[in-house]
Amino acid sequence: MTDSSSEHPAPSSEASLSGATGTHGASAAEATATHGERHSFWTLTIGSVGVVYGDIGTSPLYAMRESLLHLGHQPSTEEVIGIVSLLTWALVVVVTFKYVFILLRADNHGEGGTLSLMALAQTAIGRNSTLLLALGAVGAALFYGDAILTPAISVLSAVEGLKVATPVFEPYILPITIAIIVVLYAVQSSGTGKVAALFGPVTVVWFVVLAVLGVLHIFDAPVVLHALNPYHAALFLVDHGWLAFIVLGATFLAVTGAEALYADMGHFGRGPIRTAWLGLVLPSLVLNYLGQGGLAISHPAAIKDLFFLTAPEWFRLPLVLLACLATVVASQAVISGAYSLTRQAMQLGMLPHLEVQHTSQTQAGQIYMPKVNWLMLAGVLALVIVFQSSSSLAAAYGIAVTGTMIVTTLLAIVVIAKFWKFGWLAAVVCMTPFLIVDVAFLSANLLKLPDGGYIPLILGAAIVVLMWTWIRGVRFVEGRIRRESIPIAEFAKSMSTSSATRVKGTAMYLTSSPEIAPPALLHNLKHNKVLHERNVILSVRTERQPIVREDERIEFGKVSDEFSTLIVRYGFMEDPNLPRALAQAKAYGLPFDMMKTSFFVGRRSFRASASVGMPLWQDHVFIGLVRQSFDVTEYFRIPAGRVVELGNQMVV
């Protein structure tokens, strides 16, 4: 669906960056601009370390430990080397090659994420595809599963380090974890930018500490450096058969932040994200896994608390505190990713439109969504209270992320083949190795189903049902309106001879279908017996691109002397501002004076019926979603005093 109307409000984000240039001193201005761009680039790079890589940066807390414990016995030197090699090459293949080198190039006008990629794929094939829509919905739904698991496992694993520092803290681990999580979600309204500015430098320190701790213990067993050779990863998989398959599900924990990396691209940009990964994050992670491997070889008894025991005893408590800060940032990666994903889903007609608050005057992608925030908090707290330990949560972790990664790979094949024009053969050849890796990781993670892996799948299935219900319900309502409506050209012709009283001013009727007479117009004429001297059928459309150029914003059409149509286009990452767009419409011959214009909005209520439209249970779900929609007048930024609401009831 690409239409959004007042009856089904559609948020997004008006992001226009403007600047002023002087008439002299051009070279100085250019030098200042270049310096400003360089400063902004490094600011965004440091910010991306905090937000984008927070998730994957905390994987050393548990990934190596869980992989070794899954062996079920004290590992040999070769087994430790094999697991370190698996962790290292998972980072290289999945994150570096697939996401950083390939998928960061598959941006939709600067935006990333599953739904952005889906919209790009639909643009590439030139039509709405039900299959691509379904893939996008599944990928997005599974991402939400990851978004509530990541804060739970990350914060719990960090706080558990307190009992390594001193057993006194053991009874307080759960309360401290809950307190940290509540504070994290409470500060989200201050904005991603402020959170990144606060935690970006902290996370830079975290990665430096990871590298230093790793280097210290590599020399405990220098033989661990053999893990840099992928031969040892392959040898481990071949030699250990089914056991290797089980361990593979744990090693996947090392790359669980990769999808958030792609989803958060709109917040920081491709360049800063890529620079941060190659310059700091990847080297620090590899060095730390090598160091943990060296300690595991030289002191096998340390495996149970492997990460925290890499630190000298005097540094363990500070390391726990630093880890807690780092895991808060790790959670930020999926929280901000969930906001972006939800806004894209709303604009693409897959979810009702919820309140979106902008938290930055310069970065349009930095937003806060209250309802999404508090629902996620409830989910995270429920997981922490039910599972109570990071090892238990690790069993539930991974399935959602691998599922989303598979969806992303499939959508990327379409984009590479059709949008980049490489052809289907080249696209399949390019992405099949990544698809094989994704499927292998998914298969290994499916072994976790009985131990909690079903949780993200249940959550994902529930969100898919919500998306499917919303799409189906909106299509039913719009289809019914069209069947019962009158073409606007025919209606305008009949009104030319009508004796209805004409009043001065302009009436604007918001609708998703500008080719028909809106129900609000018919109700106004039927009940009030009046017609304005100028009547504009106004439709807001959401395109498959994040931002629409200003010169493509407006499409104005004349139907008759009294009637005209106006289509205002926005990208799926923009927030409609109708007063601004209508002021722009003056250039098209539409006189606009806010104080002489009335906006007629259809306020439709719904009644469920088992004999009409969707099944009864789905009717109730759809009606519940409608009630959650953000108020249309606030969303379109229409002054409340200029709005006339006309209600009617429809059976669905």
PDB file of all heavy atoms in Angstrom, residues 180-209:
ATOM      1  N   ILE A 180      18.326  -0.865  36.050  1.00  0.00           N
ATOM      2  CA  ILE A 180      19.074  -0.321  34.902  1.00  0.00           C
ATOM      3  C   ILE A 180      18.186  -0.267  33.661  1.00  0.00           C
ATOM      4  O   ILE A 180      18.169   0.725  32.925  1.00  0.00           O
ATOM      5  CB  ILE A 180      20.337  -1.166  34.631  1.00  0.00           C
ATOM      6  CG1 ILE A 180      21.356  -0.978  35.754  1.00  0.00           C
ATOM      7  CG2 ILE A 180      20.962  -0.796  33.284  1.00  0.00           C
ATOM      8  CD1 ILE A 180      22.562  -1.891  35.666  1.00  0.00           C
ATOM      9  N   ILE A 181      17.431  -1.330  33.425  1.00  0.00           N
ATOM     10  CA  ILE A 181      16.575  -1.390  32.237  1.00  0.00           C
ATOM     11  C   ILE A 181      15.482  -0.327  32.299  1.00  0.00           C
ATOM     12  O   ILE A 181      15.192   0.351  31.298  1.00  0.00           O
ATOM     13  CB  ILE A 181      15.967  -2.803  32.098  1.00  0.00           C
ATOM     14  CG1 ILE A 181      17.061  -3.800  31.685  1.00  0.00           C
ATOM     15  CG2 ILE A 181      14.834  -2.814  31.077  1.00  0.00           C
ATOM     16  CD1 ILE A 181      16.634  -5.246  31.741  1.00  0.00           C
ATOM     17  N   VAL A 182      14.872  -0.146  33.452  1.00  0.00           N
ATOM     18  CA  VAL A 182      13.817   0.869  33.596  1.00  0.00           C
ATOM     19  C   VAL A 182      14.378   2.263  33.319  1.00  0.00           C
ATOM     20  O   VAL A 182      13.766   3.064  32.597  1.00  0.00           O
ATOM     21  CB  VAL A 182      13.189   0.805  35.007  1.00  0.00           C
ATOM     22  CG1 VAL A 182      12.287   2.012  35.246  1.00  0.00           C
ATOM     23  CG2 VAL A 182      12.379  -0.479  35.167  1.00  0.00           C
ATOM     24  N   VAL A 183      15.555   2.570  33.876  1.00  0.00           N
ATOM     25  CA  VAL A 183      16.171   3.877  33.642  1.00  0.00           C
ATOM     26  C   VAL A 183      16.500   4.061  32.165  1.00  0.00           C
ATOM     27  O   VAL A 183      16.286   5.142  31.592  1.00  0.00           O
ATOM     28  CB  VAL A 183      17.449   4.028  34.500  1.00  0.00           C
ATOM     29  CG1 VAL A 183      18.225   5.284  34.091  1.00  0.00           C
ATOM     30  CG2 VAL A 183      17.084   4.092  35.973  1.00  0.00           C
ATOM     31  N   LEU A 184      17.006   3.006  31.518  1.00  0.00           N
ATOM     32  CA  LEU A 184      17.350   3.080  30.094  1.00  0.00           C
ATOM     33  C   LEU A 184      16.151   3.508  29.255  1.00  0.00           C
ATOM     34  O   LEU A 184      16.241   4.426  28.422  1.00  0.00           O
ATOM     35  CB  LEU A 184      17.862   1.715  29.610  1.00  0.00           C
ATOM     36  CG  LEU A 184      18.009   1.548  28.089  1.00  0.00           C
ATOM     37  CD1 LEU A 184      19.076   2.482  27.560  1.00  0.00           C
ATOM     38  CD2 LEU A 184      18.336   0.099  27.744  1.00  0.00           C
ATOM     39  N   TYR A 185      15.004   2.858  29.471  1.00  0.00           N
ATOM     40  CA  TYR A 185      13.826   3.197  28.665  1.00  0.00           C
ATOM     41  C   TYR A 185      13.226   4.542  29.077  1.00  0.00           C
ATOM     42  O   TYR A 185      12.604   5.228  28.261  1.00  0.00           O
ATOM     43  CB  TYR A 185      12.783   2.080  28.762  1.00  0.00           C
ATOM     44  CG  TYR A 185      13.134   0.896  27.897  1.00  0.00           C
ATOM     45  CD1 TYR A 185      13.919  -0.146  28.374  1.00  0.00           C
ATOM     46  CD2 TYR A 185      12.700   0.827  26.577  1.00  0.00           C
ATOM     47  CE1 TYR A 185      14.259  -1.223  27.575  1.00  0.00           C
ATOM     48  CE2 TYR A 185      13.034  -0.240  25.766  1.00  0.00           C
ATOM     49  CZ  TYR A 185      13.820  -1.269  26.270  1.00  0.00           C
ATOM     50  OH  TYR A 185      14.173  -2.321  25.462  1.00  0.00           O
ATOM     51  N   ALA A 186      13.430   4.927  30.325  1.00  0.00           N
ATOM     52  CA  ALA A 186      12.890   6.207  30.787  1.00  0.00           C
ATOM     53  C   ALA A 186      13.599   7.396  30.137  1.00  0.00           C
ATOM     54  O   ALA A 186      12.997   8.453  29.944  1.00  0.00           O
ATOM     55  CB  ALA A 186      12.992   6.301  32.307  1.00  0.00           C
ATOM     56  N   VAL A 187      14.893   7.228  29.793  1.00  0.00           N
ATOM     57  CA  VAL A 187      15.633   8.359  29.215  1.00  0.00           C
ATOM     58  C   VAL A 187      15.528   8.419  27.692  1.00  0.00           C
ATOM     59  O   VAL A 187      16.098   9.329  27.080  1.00  0.00           O
ATOM     60  CB  VAL A 187      17.131   8.305  29.612  1.00  0.00           C
ATOM     61  CG1 VAL A 187      17.283   8.324  31.110  1.00  0.00           C
ATOM     62  CG2 VAL A 187      17.825   7.084  29.011  1.00  0.00           C
ATOM     63  N   GLN A 188      14.798   7.506  27.080  1.00  0.00           N
ATOM     64  CA  GLN A 188      14.706   7.496  25.618  1.00  0.00           C
ATOM     65  C   GLN A 188      14.087   8.770  25.052  1.00  0.00           C
ATOM     66  O   GLN A 188      14.405   9.190  23.945  1.00  0.00           O
ATOM     67  CB  GLN A 188      13.905   6.279  25.140  1.00  0.00           C
ATOM     68  CG  GLN A 188      14.606   4.962  25.292  1.00  0.00           C
ATOM     69  CD  GLN A 188      15.928   4.914  24.569  1.00  0.00           C
ATOM     70  OE1 GLN A 188      16.024   5.273  23.402  1.00  0.00           O
ATOM     71  NE2 GLN A 188      16.969   4.492  25.267  1.00  0.00           N
ATOM     72  N   SER A 189      13.199   9.395  25.812  1.00  0.00           N
ATOM     73  CA  SER A 189      12.521  10.595  25.301  1.00  0.00           C
ATOM     74  C   SER A 189      13.498  11.746  25.099  1.00  0.00           C
ATOM     75  O   SER A 189      13.185  12.706  24.392  1.00  0.00           O
ATOM     76  CB  SER A 189      11.411  11.027  26.256  1.00  0.00           C
ATOM     77  OG  SER A 189      11.940  11.275  27.547  1.00  0.00           O
ATOM     78  N   SER A 190      14.696  11.671  25.689  1.00  0.00           N
ATOM     79  CA  SER A 190      15.681  12.738  25.500  1.00  0.00           C
ATOM     80  C   SER A 190      16.333  12.669  24.126  1.00  0.00           C
ATOM     81  O   SER A 190      16.955  13.635  23.687  1.00  0.00           O
ATOM     82  CB  SER A 190      16.759  12.674  26.586  1.00  0.00           C
ATOM     83  OG  SER A 190      17.485  11.464  26.501  1.00  0.00           O
ATOM     84  N   GLY A 191      16.192  11.523  23.434  1.00  0.00           N
ATOM     85  CA  GLY A 191      16.647  11.437  22.052  1.00  0.00           C
ATOM     86  C   GLY A 191      17.892  10.609  21.841  1.00  0.00           C
ATOM     87  O   GLY A 191      18.782  10.543  22.696  1.00  0.00           O
ATOM     88  N   THR A 192      17.959   9.961  20.667  1.00  0.00           N
ATOM     89  CA  THR A 192      19.102   9.113  20.306  1.00  0.00           C
ATOM     90  C   THR A 192      20.398   9.907  20.284  1.00  0.00           C
ATOM     91  O   THR A 192      21.443   9.428  20.704  1.00  0.00           O
ATOM     92  CB  THR A 192      18.870   8.489  18.914  1.00  0.00           C
ATOM     93  OG1 THR A 192      17.619   7.819  18.917  1.00  0.00           O
ATOM     94  CG2 THR A 192      19.961   7.504  18.563  1.00  0.00           C
ATOM     95  N   GLY A 193      20.332  11.147  19.775  1.00  0.00           N
ATOM     96  CA  GLY A 193      21.531  11.963  19.668  1.00  0.00           C
ATOM     97  C   GLY A 193      22.169  12.214  21.010  1.00  0.00           C
ATOM     98  O   GLY A 193      23.384  12.109  21.183  1.00  0.00           O
ATOM     99  N   LYS A 194      21.338  12.560  22.012  1.00  0.00           N
ATOM    100  CA  LYS A 194      21.871  12.840  23.343  1.00  0.00           C
ATOM    101  C   LYS A 194      22.401  11.568  23.998  1.00  0.00           C
ATOM    102  O   LYS A 194      23.420  11.579  24.686  1.00  0.00           O
ATOM    103  CB  LYS A 194      20.796  13.489  24.206  1.00  0.00           C
ATOM    104  CG  LYS A 194      20.421  14.890  23.733  1.00  0.00           C
ATOM    105  CD  LYS A 194      19.353  15.517  24.606  1.00  0.00           C
ATOM    106  CE  LYS A 194      18.996  16.906  24.104  1.00  0.00           C
ATOM    107  NZ  LYS A 194      17.914  17.530  24.899  1.00  0.00           N
ATOM    108  N   VAL A 195      21.680  10.456  23.764  1.00  0.00           N
ATOM    109  CA  VAL A 195      22.159   9.180  24.301  1.00  0.00           C
ATOM    110  C   VAL A 195      23.501   8.814  23.665  1.00  0.00           C
ATOM    111  O   VAL A 195      24.435   8.375  24.333  1.00  0.00           O
ATOM    112  CB  VAL A 195      21.120   8.062  24.069  1.00  0.00           C
ATOM    113  CG1 VAL A 195      21.685   6.717  24.490  1.00  0.00           C
ATOM    114  CG2 VAL A 195      19.841   8.365  24.840  1.00  0.00           C
ATOM    115  N   ALA A 196      23.608   9.026  22.339  1.00  0.00           N
ATOM    116  CA  ALA A 196      24.854   8.710  21.627  1.00  0.00           C
ATOM    117  C   ALA A 196      25.991   9.603  22.099  1.00  0.00           C
ATOM    118  O   ALA A 196      27.128   9.154  22.279  1.00  0.00           O
ATOM    119  CB  ALA A 196      24.641   8.868  20.121  1.00  0.00           C
ATOM    120  N   ALA A 197      25.698  10.906  22.309  1.00  0.00           N
ATOM    121  CA  ALA A 197      26.724  11.829  22.770  1.00  0.00           C
ATOM    122  C   ALA A 197      27.220  11.434  24.156  1.00  0.00           C
ATOM    123  O   ALA A 197      28.402  11.583  24.478  1.00  0.00           O
ATOM    124  CB  ALA A 197      26.175  13.248  22.787  1.00  0.00           C
ATOM    125  N   LEU A 198      26.319  10.905  24.983  1.00  0.00           N
ATOM    126  CA  LEU A 198      26.683  10.513  26.334  1.00  0.00           C
ATOM    127  C   LEU A 198      27.451   9.199  26.349  1.00  0.00           C
ATOM    128  O   LEU A 198      28.471   9.062  27.023  1.00  0.00           O
ATOM    129  CB  LEU A 198      25.416  10.386  27.193  1.00  0.00           C
ATOM    130  CG  LEU A 198      25.608   9.900  28.638  1.00  0.00           C
ATOM    131  CD1 LEU A 198      26.456  10.902  29.420  1.00  0.00           C
ATOM    132  CD2 LEU A 198      24.255   9.696  29.313  1.00  0.00           C
ATOM    133  N   PHE A 199      26.950   8.207  25.565  1.00  0.00           N
ATOM    134  CA  PHE A 199      27.492   6.860  25.657  1.00  0.00           C
ATOM    135  C   PHE A 199      28.504   6.507  24.566  1.00  0.00           C
ATOM    136  O   PHE A 199      29.224   5.523  24.696  1.00  0.00           O
ATOM    137  CB  PHE A 199      26.357   5.835  25.626  1.00  0.00           C
ATOM    138  CG  PHE A 199      25.546   5.817  26.885  1.00  0.00           C
ATOM    139  CD1 PHE A 199      24.163   5.958  26.834  1.00  0.00           C
ATOM    140  CD2 PHE A 199      26.146   5.661  28.115  1.00  0.00           C
ATOM    141  CE1 PHE A 199      23.412   5.941  27.992  1.00  0.00           C
ATOM    142  CE2 PHE A 199      25.401   5.639  29.278  1.00  0.00           C
ATOM    143  CZ  PHE A 199      24.022   5.778  29.217  1.00  0.00           C
ATOM    144  N   GLY A 200      28.542   7.304  23.471  1.00  0.00           N
ATOM    145  CA  GLY A 200      29.502   7.013  22.418  1.00  0.00           C
ATOM    146  C   GLY A 200      30.929   6.932  22.935  1.00  0.00           C
ATOM    147  O   GLY A 200      31.625   5.931  22.734  1.00  0.00           O
ATOM    148  N   PRO A 201      31.401   7.963  23.639  1.00  0.00           N
ATOM    149  CA  PRO A 201      32.767   7.903  24.185  1.00  0.00           C
ATOM    150  C   PRO A 201      32.962   6.753  25.175  1.00  0.00           C
ATOM    151  O   PRO A 201      34.038   6.147  25.216  1.00  0.00           O
ATOM    152  CB  PRO A 201      32.910   9.261  24.893  1.00  0.00           C
ATOM    153  CG  PRO A 201      31.941  10.158  24.190  1.00  0.00           C
ATOM    154  CD  PRO A 201      30.785   9.284  23.828  1.00  0.00           C
ATOM    155  N   VAL A 202      31.916   6.444  25.963  1.00  0.00           N
ATOM    156  CA  VAL A 202      32.012   5.321  26.906  1.00  0.00           C
ATOM    157  C   VAL A 202      32.258   4.022  26.149  1.00  0.00           C
ATOM    158  O   VAL A 202      33.080   3.193  26.539  1.00  0.00           O
ATOM    159  CB  VAL A 202      30.730   5.208  27.757  1.00  0.00           C
ATOM    160  CG1 VAL A 202      30.746   3.926  28.593  1.00  0.00           C
ATOM    161  CG2 VAL A 202      30.583   6.423  28.658  1.00  0.00           C
ATOM    162  N   THR A 203      31.545   3.839  25.033  1.00  0.00           N
ATOM    163  CA  THR A 203      31.683   2.605  24.266  1.00  0.00           C
ATOM    164  C   THR A 203      33.024   2.543  23.546  1.00  0.00           C
ATOM    165  O   THR A 203      33.576   1.459  23.348  1.00  0.00           O
ATOM    166  CB  THR A 203      30.528   2.464  23.258  1.00  0.00           C
ATOM    167  OG1 THR A 203      29.316   2.812  23.894  1.00  0.00           O
ATOM    168  CG2 THR A 203      30.414   1.038  22.747  1.00  0.00           C
ATOM    169  N   VAL A 204      33.541   3.697  23.135  1.00  0.00           N
ATOM    170  CA  VAL A 204      34.896   3.720  22.569  1.00  0.00           C
ATOM    171  C   VAL A 204      35.886   3.189  23.609  1.00  0.00           C
ATOM    172  O   VAL A 204      36.754   2.356  23.301  1.00  0.00           O
ATOM    173  CB  VAL A 204      35.282   5.148  22.124  1.00  0.00           C
ATOM    174  CG1 VAL A 204      36.768   5.205  21.775  1.00  0.00           C
ATOM    175  CG2 VAL A 204      34.451   5.584  20.921  1.00  0.00           C
ATOM    176  N   VAL A 205      35.750   3.650  24.849  1.00  0.00           N
ATOM    177  CA  VAL A 205      36.605   3.149  25.936  1.00  0.00           C
ATOM    178  C   VAL A 205      36.405   1.644  26.113  1.00  0.00           C
ATOM    179  O   VAL A 205      37.367   0.896  26.309  1.00  0.00           O
ATOM    180  CB  VAL A 205      36.294   3.891  27.254  1.00  0.00           C
ATOM    181  CG1 VAL A 205      37.049   3.246  28.424  1.00  0.00           C
ATOM    182  CG2 VAL A 205      36.655   5.365  27.129  1.00  0.00           C
ATOM    183  N   TRP A 206      35.135   1.194  26.023  1.00  0.00           N
ATOM    184  CA  TRP A 206      34.821  -0.233  26.156  1.00  0.00           C
ATOM    185  C   TRP A 206      35.585  -1.065  25.133  1.00  0.00           C
ATOM    186  O   TRP A 206      36.190  -2.088  25.466  1.00  0.00           O
ATOM    187  CB  TRP A 206      33.316  -0.436  26.020  1.00  0.00           C
ATOM    188  CG  TRP A 206      32.869  -1.857  25.872  1.00  0.00           C
ATOM    189  CD1 TRP A 206      32.425  -2.478  24.732  1.00  0.00           C
ATOM    190  CD2 TRP A 206      32.805  -2.856  26.902  1.00  0.00           C
ATOM    191  NE1 TRP A 206      32.097  -3.788  24.978  1.00  0.00           N
ATOM    192  CE2 TRP A 206      32.322  -4.040  26.302  1.00  0.00           C
ATOM    193  CE3 TRP A 206      33.109  -2.864  28.250  1.00  0.00           C
ATOM    194  CZ2 TRP A 206      32.128  -5.215  27.020  1.00  0.00           C
ATOM    195  CZ3 TRP A 206      32.922  -4.037  28.967  1.00  0.00           C
ATOM    196  CH2 TRP A 206      32.433  -5.193  28.363  1.00  0.00           C
ATOM    197  N   PHE A 207      35.571  -0.617  23.872  1.00  0.00           N
ATOM    198  CA  PHE A 207      36.254  -1.385  22.829  1.00  0.00           C
ATOM    199  C   PHE A 207      37.774  -1.367  23.024  1.00  0.00           C
ATOM    200  O   PHE A 207      38.455  -2.362  22.753  1.00  0.00           O
ATOM    201  CB  PHE A 207      35.881  -0.860  21.442  1.00  0.00           C
ATOM    202  CG  PHE A 207      34.549  -1.359  20.959  1.00  0.00           C
ATOM    203  CD1 PHE A 207      33.475  -0.492  20.812  1.00  0.00           C
ATOM    204  CD2 PHE A 207      34.350  -2.696  20.665  1.00  0.00           C
ATOM    205  CE1 PHE A 207      32.238  -0.944  20.380  1.00  0.00           C
ATOM    206  CE2 PHE A 207      33.120  -3.168  20.233  1.00  0.00           C
ATOM    207  CZ  PHE A 207      32.060  -2.285  20.093  1.00  0.00           C
ATOM    208  N   VAL A 208      38.298  -0.252  23.491  1.00  0.00           N
ATOM    209  CA  VAL A 208      39.733  -0.189  23.769  1.00  0.00           C
ATOM    210  C   VAL A 208      40.086  -1.168  24.885  1.00  0.00           C
ATOM    211  O   VAL A 208      41.092  -1.893  24.811  1.00  0.00           O
ATOM    212  CB  VAL A 208      40.149   1.249  24.147  1.00  0.00           C
ATOM    213  CG1 VAL A 208      41.600   1.271  24.646  1.00  0.00           C
ATOM    214  CG2 VAL A 208      39.991   2.185  22.949  1.00  0.00           C
ATOM    215  N   VAL A 209      39.250  -1.219  25.937  1.00  0.00           N
ATOM    216  CA  VAL A 209      39.472  -2.157  27.038  1.00  0.00           C
ATOM    217  C   VAL A 209      39.393  -3.599  26.539  1.00  0.00           C
ATOM    218  O   VAL A 209      40.210  -4.449  26.926  1.00  0.00           O
ATOM    219  CB  VAL A 209      38.448  -1.916  28.171  1.00  0.00           C
ATOM    220  CG1 VAL A 209      38.490  -3.053  29.199  1.00  0.00           C
ATOM    221  CG2 VAL A 209      38.727  -0.589  28.860  1.00  0.00           C
TER     222      VAL A 209
END
